[in-house]
Amino acid sequence: AQKVTQAQTEISVVEKEDVTLDCVYETRDTTYYLFWYKQPPSGELVFLIRRNSFDEQNEISGRYSWNFQKSTSSFNFTITASQVVDSAVYFCALSSGYSSASKIIFGSGTRLSIRP
Amino acid sequence: EPEVTQTPSHQVTQMGQEVILRCVPISNHLYFYWYRQILGQKVEFLVSFYNNEISEKSEIFDDQFSVERPDGSNFTLKIRSTKLEDSAMYFCASSEAPEGTGELFFGEGSRLTVL
């Protein structure tokens, strides 16, 4: 069975603090893809990152960084020096199989609030 | 930048009415999807569509739902007889063939309210 768990339902931090959003996944497939999406208050889904199961290298994009650890089945997302505009619901997601065009299983999301 | 477009952005309907949600995927994409998000909940897969037929569907996608690509550009989701619990945001998505990046591009969603 495939499953994505985001244990943190809501997080609230003060602006400029660093914050890490946790994601734990389950799959029996050896080939899979992991994603993070941002859903701002306006409601659209904004793609942030896709990582395949063979690439455990951590990635940094500006204030965003991702830590992928197969040993713990985790794909955590850190925002450094958070800003009010980062306030949104963040979804971790999993797609198993040969192609990432397979269906995506979403976690329940973490609502992040950044206070000025 | 190419994008997936959805219409209407918001539709209000009476229970029992038929609803058609429309999507225009990115032009060179071959795989199409519908996802649903009930307010405050997670995004759920409904159906995937490739080569003019359903590739996979979830338990949510029962006989009341159907999808169609009527004219080579639009991709529609029809709900034949809406129920209160169909109220949700419906997202269309498309992606290139597996040999491509495979990234899903989502539309901005269509909010359906069933009264």
Side-chain angles (χ1 to χ4, degrees), chain B residues 87-99:
Chain B
S87 294
M89 180 76 92
Y90 289 82
F91 291 101
C92 175
S94 69
S95 67
E96 292 179 290
E99 292 79 13

Side-chain angles (χ1 to χ4, degrees), chain B:
Chain B
E1 184 177 320
E3 59 181 16
V4 177
T5 57
Q6 291 185 240
T7 55
S9 56
H10 189 193
Q11 182 159 354
V12 181
T13 189
Q14 295 290 325
M15 191 169 57
Q17 294 295 305
E18 176 182 284
V19 161
I20 297 177
L21 305 178
R22 291 182 169 79
C23 170
V24 179
I26 294 173
S27 61
N28 64 328
H29 285 186
L30 300 176
Y31 290 77
F32 313 111
Y33 309 81
W34 282 101
Y35 285 77
R36 180 183 82 173
Q37 184 183 31
I38 295 172
L39 185 63
Q41 298 187 22
K42 67 180 176 181
V43 181
E44 301 173 292
F45 169 79
L46 290 178
V47 65
S48 59
F49 190 86
Y50 170 69
N51 200 27
N52 283 320
E53 60 183 24
I54 290 174
S55 302
E56 190 172 359
K57 60 183 181 180
S58 70
E59 295 174 352
I60 303 168
F61 195 88
D62 61 23
D63 292 343
Q64 292 298 315
F65 291 89
S66 63
V67 289
E68 194 178 32
R69 189 157 161 81
D71 56 14
S73 61
N74 290 286
F75 178 51
T76 62
L77 174 68
K78 180 191 291 185
I79 310 174
R80 289 191 184 81
S81 179
T82 50
K83 303 186 282 286
L84 295 176
E85 53 265 37
D86 293 329
S87 294
M89 180 76 92
Y90 289 82
F91 291 101
C92 175
S94 69
S95 67
E96 292 179 290
E99 292 79 13
T101 64
E103 175 189 333
L104 279 196
F105 290 80
F106 283 89
E108 293 193 344
S110 293
R111 181 170 298 284
L112 175 65
T113 302
V114 182
L115 302 176

Side-chain angles (χ1 to χ4, degrees), chain A residues 14-80:
Chain A
V14 176
E15 200 172 19
K16 297 183 184 176
E17 285 186 11
D18 298 348
V19 59
T20 296
L21 309 182
D22 298 332
C23 174
V24 174
Y25 62 92
E26 294 176 31
T27 179
R28 293 179 180 171
D29 291 310
T30 54
T31 301
Y32 53 90
Y33 295 81
L34 295 164
F35 305 80
W36 276 95
Y37 283 87
K38 174 182 180 180
Q39 188 174 44
S42 49
E44 72 271 26
L45 287 169
V46 179
F47 169 83
L48 295 178
I49 189 171
R50 178 181 65 120
R51 178 54 51 89
N52 74 54
S53 52
F54 299 109
D55 182 4
E56 281 194 77
Q57 199 169 18
N58 291 332
E59 182 157 339
I60 298 174
S61 176
R63 296 183 297 107
Y64 295 171
S65 62
W66 292 269
N67 182 275
F68 176 29
Q69 292 194 350
K70 290 178 76 170
S71 61
T72 55
S73 297
S74 65
F75 187 45
N76 296 337
F77 172 33
T78 297
I79 302 175
T80 304

